[in-house]
Amino acid sequence: MLTLVLFGVRSPLVVDYQETCLRLGIEPAGRQASTRPSRALKGLAMLDEAEPGAGRAATCVAFVPRRRAELAAQAAAAGFTVAAPLIDPTSVVATSSEIEDGCYLNAGCVIGGASRIGAHVVINRAASIGHHVLVDDFASIGPGVTIPGSVTIGARALIGAGSVLLPGVSIGADAVISAGSVVRNDVAEGMVVSGNPARPLPRRLLNSLLDRDGDE
């Protein structure tokens, strides 16, 4: 059996990954991917950065999509395989839905029927995903987000905490939905929106958010 490694443990979100592992009866190891101090809980066994990844599966710990993509590339280069989905036992996933490798579902999430969650997606605490939803690779869904049926979310999109998307909307790749927004219409690739109803913003206003690894 492959050893699970939490890769990139300086993210504050690592504490939730560790709690999920604890509830699942998994004892993961950790590995730094940066010289910055780790925020991992005490008791997490740490791998030396010189150790090869062979025989180990990595799940990449970061909320910001671009950072998680960077970590996945580093882990692959070091010889790690991509870990199976890490799904908190308090979450509910429909049997007709598909969760790709590298994903993390935090506590209390719900995934409706016939949905597909792409590789390396993070769905944070108590998010609700409806039926026939497509979430593409490396997207991030914040805590308490509500996504109803037939929504499409593009690769590396970030949906901020507490946002609500209306049925059938499409969120383009690399788009950012600011926390607490209500999205009634499609959001184009790379666009940043905020408010109720959500309206476009200059992307520079969210640079500080996207530069902080592990933000929720």
Side-chain angles (χ1 to χ4, degrees):
M1 179 180 294
L2 295 172
T3 300
L4 177 64
V5 175
L6 304 181
F7 195 91
V9 294
R10 71 177 174 90
S11 169
L13 194 57
V14 70
V15 297
D16 282 350
Y17 280 73
Q18 287 177 277
E19 291 291 342
T20 292
C21 289
L22 179 64
R23 286 189 281 269
L24 290 170
I26 299 171
E27 294 186 12
R31 175 164 160 171
Q32 289 278 73
S34 168
T35 57
R36 289 173 57 179
S38 169
R39 302 183 187 182
L41 291 175
K42 293 181 180 179
L44 179 65
M46 296 293 295
L47 298 180
D48 187 281
E49 291 187 23
E51 290 188 59
R56 300 181 173 100
T59 187
C60 298
V61 183
F63 185 71
V64 175
R66 73 182 187 193
R67 174 58 178 162
R68 198 160 61 256
E70 291 170 356
L71 290 173
Q74 292 176 29
F80 290 88
T81 61
V82 180
L86 183 61
I87 301 174
D88 196 279
T90 64
S91 288
V92 178
V93 178
T95 57
S96 57
S97 288
E98 179 182 356
I99 313 292
E100 296 288 340
D101 288 347
C103 289
Y104 174 53
L105 271 63
N106 206 340
C109 297
V110 176
I111 309 296
S115 291
R116 178 186 176 275
I117 311 300
H120 298 283
V121 168
V122 167
I123 301 178
N124 217 335
R125 296 178 302 278
S128 177
I129 311 294
H131 59 85
H132 296 94
V133 170
L134 171 62
V135 182
D136 210 344
D137 299 350
F138 291 102
S140 296
I141 312 297
V145 167
T146 300
I147 299 175
S150 303
V151 167
T152 299
I153 297 174
R156 301 172 304 281
L158 189 156
I159 314 299
S163 296
V164 177
L165 280 59
L166 268 61
V169 300
S170 177
I171 309 299
D174 300 298
V176 177
I177 311 302
S178 183
S181 298
V182 177
V183 180
R184 303 181 180 184
N185 300 300
D186 292 352
V187 176
E189 179 176 342
M191 184 177 289
V192 177
V193 301
S194 180
N196 179 11
R199 301 181 186 281
L201 291 176
R203 193 173 183 89
R204 60 180 174 77
L205 295 181
L206 287 185
N207 280 347
S208 60
L209 167 66
L210 297 178
D211 286 340
R212 291 205 308 267
D213 179 53
D215 258 352
E216 298 182 334

